[in-house]
Amino acid sequence: MKLGIIGLAGAGKTTVFEALTKDFARPGAKAETRIGTVHVPDIRVDTLSRMYKPRKTIYAQVEYLLPGLGEQKKPGSTDEALMRAVRDTDALIHVVRNFASYGTEPPDPENDFMLLDSELMQMDANVVQRRLERMENEAKKGREIDREEKAQLEQCRDALNKEIPLRRFAELSESKLLRGYGLMSAKPVLALFNNADEDESLPALSETAAQETCMVIRSKIEHELAQMTKDEADELLEEFNIAASAADRVIRASYDILGLISFFTVGEDEVRAWTIRRGTTAVEAAGVIHSDMQKGFIRAEVISYDDYMEAGSMAAAKKNATLRLEGKTYQVQDGDIITFRFNV
Ligand SMILES: Nc1nc2c(ncn2[C@@H]2O[C@H](COP(=O)(O)OP(=O)(O)OP(=O)(O)O)[C@@H](O)[C@H]2O)c(=O)[nH]1
Ligand SMILES: [Mg+2]
């Protein structure tokens, strides 16, 4: 699962990327696209790992993609080429400047967010328009066209004409027919306000912008934190009143906006978080681990993480019946601890 980092020039994209991935720039690295893979922090995995003391502990992962710089770029402008680089990502982190910086206008986060968001919509409107024109031509020549797809494209056009991003419409943003177009405003967005060091709060936002998943990062501090030893970091955490690294919260939120949940497998060998989409059934979840498990699926022994913590042990959970048997069609819930029974 990949998230693309976008934002106006100088918003702090590189600083955010490096704070999240702890991948610090090599000289000359600016031109190329950078990809970083990070663990999704999860205290449930930490706790299970302390209980089982397994040889391996494996966290869920997400990938961040930071597009390389286009050749010519004016300050404050974005670049279509840059955005095209994030076409095939699953979600977007939209970094918005909310700090004063020398030689630029005071920050205007609302305006900046809307400006780039409109550009996303404009790009989509162009794609949709071209496609509809082509379909019309095909129809004129008497060729068969996909009416369903045409209807959906028209819905997209109408929404975009009203400046409504496509991610507001579940039917359109999840449509299989539209998937191939890489529509930018259909991707889930995390609006990440990059604040000045002293400022912990979200900027004032209009109702429109406030509909997004919004978070604050103070990326300059986070960038420094990411390069420190634990002792050095603790001092800074206290000084700036940071309870937990914002980088961790952002990574967690990235995972959430992708519509992903985790289930866990536990044992002495391995405690592991597995990533699935919400709505995945038990038999599909088994297939994420191994195709044999899916083919030979018999049943799943399931307990929620919270129930397990309350019971204290699997034996106690069996007794109070929070550990239960589920069949193929059970919808796996976030935090389920599962043992699959299967035939090979
Ligand atoms: N005060 C402050 N400065 C920041 C913060 N984040 C980034 N900066 C500074 O703002 C400038 C731009 O940051 P970058 O991370 O390079 O921004 P960018 O979006 O990658 O910029 P381009 O790649 O040029 O579009 C740098 O001088 C950073 O040190 C922040 O949270 N607070
Ligand atoms: Mg940059």
Side-chain angles (χ1 to χ4, degrees):
M1 286 291 159
K2 218 184 278 173
L3 295 113
I5 298 181
I6 60 168
L8 298 180
K13 299 177 294 295
T14 303
T15 313
V16 165
F17 174 85
E18 294 189 353
L20 296 182
T21 60
K22 302 193 181 11
D23 163 19
F24 301 103
R26 302 155 304 273
K30 225 179 171 184
E32 48 193 72
T33 295
R34 295 164 72 182
I35 293 181
T37 304
V38 301
H39 290 165
V40 179
D42 192 331
I43 50 170
R44 300 170 300 183
V45 177
D46 301 338
T47 307
L48 292 169
S49 180
R50 272 199 304 276
M51 289 169 71
Y52 284 87
K53 302 191 176 50
R55 280 189 283 132
K56 270 183 299 182
T57 300
I58 303 177
Y59 291 80
Q61 292 191 336
V62 292
E63 237 181 348
Y64 291 101
L65 185 149
L66 178 71
L69 274 188
E71 315 228 294
Q72 297 279 316
K73 210 145 69 67
K74 293 177 228 88
S77 77
T78 48
D79 186 342
E80 264 209 42
L82 273 187
M83 292 208 277
R84 237 177 269 126
V86 296
R87 265 261 151 86
D88 68 343
T89 57
D90 304 290
L92 301 173
I93 307 269
H94 184 162
V95 179
V96 183
R97 179 171 73 93
N98 192 26
F99 58 88
S101 107
Y102 181 76
T104 58
E105 298 287 311
D108 187 350
E110 164 90 23
N111 186 60
D112 285 2
F113 178 82
M114 297 309 254
L115 187 70
L116 185 51
D117 206 37
S118 303
E119 280 190 41
L120 300 180
M121 287 187 264
Q122 192 53 54
M123 286 172 73
D124 288 352
N126 294 341
V127 171
V128 167
Q129 185 61 28
R130 275 200 300 272
R131 182 62 196 151
L132 279 171
E133 277 165 17
R134 216 170 304 142
M135 280 184 138
E136 241 155 68
N137 283 336
E138 298 278 301
K140 265 187 216 147
K141 288 181 199 150
R143 292 201 192 115
E144 199 61 47
I145 58 161
D146 187 331
R147 308 225 150 260
E148 175 78 26
E149 184 185 340
K150 180 157 180 277
Q152 288 187 3
L153 286 166
E154 282 164 352
Q155 285 172 41
C156 290
R157 182 189 56 198
D158 295 346
L160 294 166
N161 276 343
K162 287 184 242 158
E163 292 261 321
I164 306 174
L166 300 176
R167 58 183 179 271
R168 298 264 183 275
F169 305 89
E171 194 207 339
L172 298 176
S173 53
E174 284 158 23
S175 162
K176 289 202 171 73
L177 295 171
L178 300 178
R179 191 159 298 162
Y181 298 121
L183 297 169
M184 300 286 282
S185 77
K187 296 179 196 291
V189 165
L190 175 66
L192 191 58
F193 296 94
N194 188 17
N195 279 15
D197 292 359
E198 318 67 50
D199 180 8
E200 291 174 51
S201 46
L202 273 177
L205 296 170
S206 72
E207 234 170 81
T208 318
Q211 286 180 70
E212 311 302 334
T213 306
C214 294
M215 281 186 83
V216 164
I217 190 169
R218 290 175 280 172
S219 73
K220 214 165 139 222
I221 302 181
E222 294 287 338
H223 192 267
E224 282 168 33
L225 276 173
Q227 296 178 80
M228 287 179 177
T229 65
K230 194 177 169 310
D231 284 349
E232 292 170 332
D234 283 345
E235 211 170 289
L236 197 71
L237 288 173
E238 201 170 318
E239 181 182 342
F240 285 97
N241 185 30
I242 305 174
S245 142
D248 283 359
R249 283 188 299 114
V250 170
I251 293 164
R252 184 76 230 168
S254 309
Y255 189 74
D256 294 340
I257 61 161
L258 287 167
L260 301 177
I261 59 174
S262 299
F263 72 90
F264 309 118
T265 52
V266 295
E268 270 150 34
D269 189 46
E270 182 182 280
V271 163
R272 179 161 186 170
W274 300 87
T275 299
I276 51 175
R277 285 190 185 278
R278 202 174 286 285
T280 300
T281 59
V283 67
E284 290 166 342
V288 173
I289 301 179
H290 201 288
S291 56
D292 285 347
M293 273 196 188
Q294 181 159 21
K295 270 186 241 139
F297 183 95
I298 303 170
R299 58 176 185 268
E301 288 176 16
V302 183
I303 181 168
S304 77
Y305 172 84
D306 290 339
D307 286 343
Y308 185 37
M309 288 302 124
E310 203 161 303
S313 73
M314 284 296 175
K318 223 171 241 169
K319 224 179 255 169
N320 75 11
T322 47
L323 179 67
R324 58 199 198 274
L325 296 178
E326 299 285 2
K328 285 188 176 176
T329 57
Y330 167 72
Q331 281 202 1
V332 176
Q333 304 296 306
D334 185 45
D336 278 349
I337 300 168
I338 306 185
T339 309
F340 291 102
R341 299 290 168 214
F342 63 104
N343 273 326
V344 269

